[in-house]
């Protein structure tokens, strides 16, 4: 059964790549590196993980959107590399970058690429080098909602902008009704939730609103929420819990947080049909991303206004942020080993089953090469 499951996951991963084309984007455990005489390299029964000289505790923090993926990776990795302990907090992209630039973690996860001032700050920690962005996880930002009696809901960028800016306040508003003529919309107050922490998910969601509804969304965007009103919660798990527990609630979150017991909005774009939040549909949109990083940095520019049929427009890519040079000697072996695993074919194959999109071969090949050269 393990072999069948592995083959199925690998097929999903390869299928995602095939759909997207050349530029498509698609916690804790511990272990002993195997037998003392194996040179520190251990092979798991259902994957090939090179532990190398990895040992000790690896601290990381950042994007809560990728937390479910990290948890799955850590479980597999530490089943092979028993001398490594990995603690990924998932406190949010902003917290992760701060921890990284202060030298508190070996690597950070962020749903937004490093800003110039953050790269400058990283040079204090990365002696002789700087922080770089390695795209590792892709996927849709789902808009989850809790409206009794409404199992299917269509919204567009303009309506979403007005809802999250507290300009549309009731679920039977005429703008929502016009997009959902067959729905029985209740006379119920809308309860929009946003992130209380600095978040790359917020950054990407608001970039979508800025691009697709500039007349309705007048804020500059960024990791910190700027609009007035609504309720706030910590992390993707926090806003997801808020939606599940509050009638009339709506929020944005990585798809894996909306998979259990939550309805998600279909987004109306310029395409003929509204688009569902799925890994495959997000992959179609991320296929239009462009590499804008320089040197070893692989930061991407996403297109939030795709026109292709089935392309889901609200997407994110999560980066693992690490020093290209100047990594701490005591954590470098474990950092390279773990990042090499999650960028591997087996590591990427776990993503589709968890509601994420694997990176395309063209991008992930560059990531693997860069990881191998970390020093």
């Amino acid at each position: 059964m393990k072999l069948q499951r592995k083959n199925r996951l690998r097929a999903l991963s390869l299928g995602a790549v095939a759909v997207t084309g050349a530029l498509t984007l698609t916690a804790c455990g511990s272990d002993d590196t195997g037998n003392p005489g194996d040179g520190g390299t251990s092979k798991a029964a259902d994957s090939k993980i090179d532990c190398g000289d990895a040992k000790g505790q690896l601290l990381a923090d950042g994007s809560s959107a990728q937390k479910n993926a990290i948890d799955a990776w850590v479980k597999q990795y530490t089943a092979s590399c028993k001398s490594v302990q990995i603690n990924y907090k998932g406190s949010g992209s902003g917290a992760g970058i701060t921890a990284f630039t202060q030298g508190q973690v070996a690597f950070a996860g962020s749903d937004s690429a490093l800003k110039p001032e953050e790269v400058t700050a990283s040079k204090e920690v990365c002696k002789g080098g700087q922080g770089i962005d390695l795209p590792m996880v892709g996927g849709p930002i789902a808009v989850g909602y809790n409206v009794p009696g409404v199992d299917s809901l269509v919204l567009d960028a303009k309506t979403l902008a007005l809802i999250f800016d507290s300009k549309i306040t009731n679920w039977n508003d005429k703008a929502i009704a016009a997009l959902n003529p067959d729905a029985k919309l209740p006379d119920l107050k809308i309860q929009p939730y946003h992130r209380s922490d600095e978040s790359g998910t917020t950054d990407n969601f608001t970039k979508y609103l800025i691009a697709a509804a500039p007349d309705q969304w007048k804020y500059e965007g960024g990791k910190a929420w700027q609009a007035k009103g609504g309720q706030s919660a910590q992390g993707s798990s926090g806003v997801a819990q808020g939606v599940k527990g509050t009638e009339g609630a709506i929020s944005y979150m990585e798809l894996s947080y909306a998979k259990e017991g939550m309805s998600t909005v279909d987004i109306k774009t310029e395409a003929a049909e509204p688009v569902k939040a799925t890994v495959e549909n997000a992959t179609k949109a991320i296929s239009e991303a462009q590499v804008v990083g320089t040197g070893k940095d692989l930061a991407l520019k996403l297109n939030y206004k795709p026109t292709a049929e089935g392309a889901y427009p609200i997407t994110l890519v999560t980066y693992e942020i690490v020093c290209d040079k100047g990594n701490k000697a005591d954590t470098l072996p474990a950092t390279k080993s773990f990042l090499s695993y999650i960028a591997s074919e087996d590591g990427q194959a776990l993503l589709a089953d968890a509601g994420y999109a694997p990176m395309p071969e063209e991008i992930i090949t560059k990531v693997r090469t860069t990881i191998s050269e970390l020093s």
Side-chain angles (χ1 to χ4, degrees):
M1 293 299 293
K2 286 185 177 180
L3 182 58
Q4 292 176 348
R5 181 174 181 271
K6 177 187 173 185
N7 289 337
R8 181 171 61 84
L9 290 175
R10 184 170 292 165
L12 285 170
S13 175
L14 293 174
V17 172
V19 170
T20 59
L23 198 57
T24 307
L25 288 184
T26 72
C28 300
S30 63
D31 215 25
D32 190 13
T33 51
N35 296 326
D38 67 358
T41 299
S42 174
K43 307 297 183 183
D46 58 350
S47 65
K48 297 178 180 179
I49 299 176
D50 185 354
C51 302
D53 298 323
K55 61 182 179 180
Q57 188 176 49
L58 198 61
L59 299 179
D61 197 2
S63 166
S64 64
Q66 71 165 0
K67 181 66 163 58
N68 292 335
I70 291 286
D71 287 349
W73 280 330
V74 167
K75 182 179 180 180
Q76 291 295 319
Y77 178 81
T78 54
S80 289
C81 304
K82 296 186 173 70
S83 64
V84 182
Q85 295 180 334
I86 301 176
N87 185 348
Y88 182 84
K89 293 182 179 180
S91 302
S93 297
I97 291 175
T98 297
F100 178 74
T101 56
Q102 292 179 351
Q104 298 171 358
V105 295
F107 71 91
S110 177
D111 307 320
S112 298
L114 290 168
K115 296 179 179 179
E117 61 269 26
E118 293 168 340
V119 173
T120 299
S122 73
K123 293 180 180 180
E124 296 296 319
V125 175
C126 306
K127 302 302 181 182
Q130 65 179 53
I132 56 173
D133 302 286
L134 302 178
M136 201 72 74
V137 181
I141 299 174
V143 180
Y145 68 94
N146 181 349
V147 182
V150 180
D151 298 325
S152 178
L153 184 69
V154 175
L155 295 175
D156 58 14
K158 294 179 180 179
T159 308
L160 280 169
L162 294 173
I163 287 173
F164 280 94
D165 198 23
S166 301
K167 301 291 178 61
I168 292 179
T169 59
N170 204 287
W171 280 109
N172 63 358
D173 186 274
K174 61 181 181 180
I176 301 176
L179 292 167
N180 299 273
D182 297 327
K184 295 181 179 180
L185 299 169
D187 183 6
L188 178 66
K189 182 180 178 181
I190 298 175
Q191 304 277 2
Y193 274 81
H194 58 265
R195 291 281 289 273
S196 61
D197 54 317
E198 289 199 354
S199 162
T201 311
T202 294
D203 189 19
N204 284 278
F205 179 66
T206 55
K207 281 179 179 176
Y208 160 71
L209 296 178
I210 291 168
D215 294 335
Q216 289 73 29
W217 194 258
K218 299 296 186 179
Y219 303 97
E220 293 181 357
K223 296 185 183 72
W225 185 258
Q226 297 172 337
K228 308 299 181 183
Q231 303 184 59
S232 63
Q234 174 82 22
S236 295
S237 60
V239 295
Q241 290 171 4
V243 172
K244 290 179 181 179
T246 308
E247 287 193 356
I250 185 171
S251 190
Y252 55 94
M253 66 205 72
E254 198 280 326
L255 180 62
S256 66
Y257 290 90
K259 291 181 69 174
E260 300 298 331
M262 189 187 304
S263 298
T264 59
V265 173
D266 296 345
I267 304 298
K268 180 174 175 55
T269 67
E270 294 182 9
E273 298 294 331
V275 187
K276 294 185 179 298
T278 68
V279 169
E280 294 78 12
N281 290 343
T283 296
K284 294 177 183 178
I286 299 174
S287 68
E288 300 179 23
Q290 297 178 336
V291 177
V292 293
T294 58
K296 294 184 181 298
D297 188 271
L298 296 175
L300 301 170
K301 181 179 181 180
L302 301 176
N303 179 14
Y304 298 98
K305 296 178 64 178
T307 58
E309 290 296 329
Y312 184 80
I314 319 176
T315 59
L316 61 77
V317 169
T318 293
Y319 302 94
E320 310 312 328
I321 294 171
V322 66
C323 297
D324 58 354
K325 298 178 181 179
N327 291 279
K328 294 180 180 179
D330 59 340
T331 58
L332 178 59
T335 299
K336 291 182 69 170
S337 175
F338 181 66
L339 293 182
S340 293
Y341 162 63
I342 68 178
S344 71
E345 183 180 354
D346 285 333
Q348 290 286 297
L350 290 179
L351 292 175
D353 222 29
Y356 299 91
M359 293 296 101
E361 194 64 25
E362 179 177 331
I363 295 296
I364 205 65
T365 297
K366 295 178 181 179
V367 171
R368 292 166 186 158
T369 298
T370 301
I371 292 170
S372 71
E373 296 172 349
L374 297 178
S375 62

